[in-house]
Amino acid sequence: MDLAASFGSAVRRHRELLRLSQEDLADRSGLDRTYISGVERGVRNPTLQVMQRLADALGVDLDVLFATARECASAGGKS
């Protein structure tokens, strides 16, 4: 299982459920939009602090993002 890709898929899924753009999520989390893009594509390996910032910006607990990441991994990474 590619953890970075699965976590990125989970972030994308939650962001899209909230109908947020990457720019909106970047503003909420205090991160750069290109960094958000990299996380969602699985090319960035975010720290736990960044993961928590993303979870807070999405309004979910970090363990919910991890659970969603497991679902994405078992679905082959599809959001």
Side-chain angles (χ1 to χ4, degrees):
M1 171 168 80
D2 184 346
L3 294 174
S6 298
F7 183 80
S9 294
V11 169
R12 177 180 290 123
R13 182 180 291 179
H14 283 275
R15 177 179 61 77
E16 290 175 347
L17 285 171
L18 293 172
R19 297 178 186 249
L20 295 174
S21 67
Q22 288 180 344
E23 188 70 37
D24 293 333
L25 182 56
D27 290 342
R28 286 183 174 202
S29 64
L31 299 167
D32 191 83
R33 188 211 50 84
T34 59
Y35 188 85
I36 301 289
S37 174
V39 169
E40 289 187 357
R41 290 181 290 121
V43 298
R44 292 282 190 171
N45 190 13
T47 64
L48 283 173
Q49 287 178 322
V50 169
M51 290 179 189
Q52 186 62 61
R53 286 169 66 177
L54 289 168
D56 291 345
L58 292 166
V60 297
D61 289 331
L62 188 53
D63 62 326
V64 172
L65 276 182
F66 290 143
T68 305
R70 278 193 301 275
E71 290 174 13
C72 290
S74 65
K78 298 174 186 165
S79 12

